Amino acid sequence: MAGHNTAAVITKLTVQRASRDSILLMHDIHLWTVDAAAPTIDALQKQGYTLVTVIQLLGSTKPGKLYPAA
């Protein structure tokens, strides 16, 4: 992902590609992703998106189980 490792680029791409029912997965092992989290959330909320957690979306989950109907 060369050239994509800045918070500004991650935020821009995520906001551009978000759509209804999108699930965003942001790995906290990358500093630029951590730095992009707050501005991404702010930008999506300004566009009218409602953000929920996985538990809010699916209820209680179990490791290793698939949830294809989600």
Side-chain angles (χ1 to χ4, degrees), residues 11-12 14-20 39-50:
T11 297
K12 179 182 176 184
T14 303
V15 171
Q16 284 177 345
R17 295 174 181 173
S19 63
R20 178 179 163 82
T40 300
I41 290 168
D42 290 343
L44 290 171
Q45 288 177 329
K46 284 178 185 172
Q47 289 186 7
Y49 285 98
T50 300

Side-chain angles (χ1 to χ4, degrees), residues 1-64:
M1 208 156 87
H4 291 162
N5 59 350
T6 69
V9 171
I10 295 298
T11 297
K12 179 182 176 184
L13 291 174
T14 303
V15 171
Q16 284 177 345
R17 295 174 181 173
S19 63
R20 178 179 163 82
D21 299 328
S22 289
I23 296 177
L24 305 179
L25 174 62
M26 301 178 83
H27 297 281
D28 63 358
I29 62 170
H30 303 297
L31 182 57
W32 54 84
T33 305
V34 173
D35 293 342
T40 300
I41 290 168
D42 290 343
L44 290 171
Q45 288 177 329
K46 284 178 185 172
Q47 289 186 7
Y49 285 98
T50 300
L51 307 179
V52 297
T53 66
V54 171
I55 291 173
Q56 289 172 305
L57 184 64
L58 301 178
S60 183
T61 60
K62 296 181 182 178

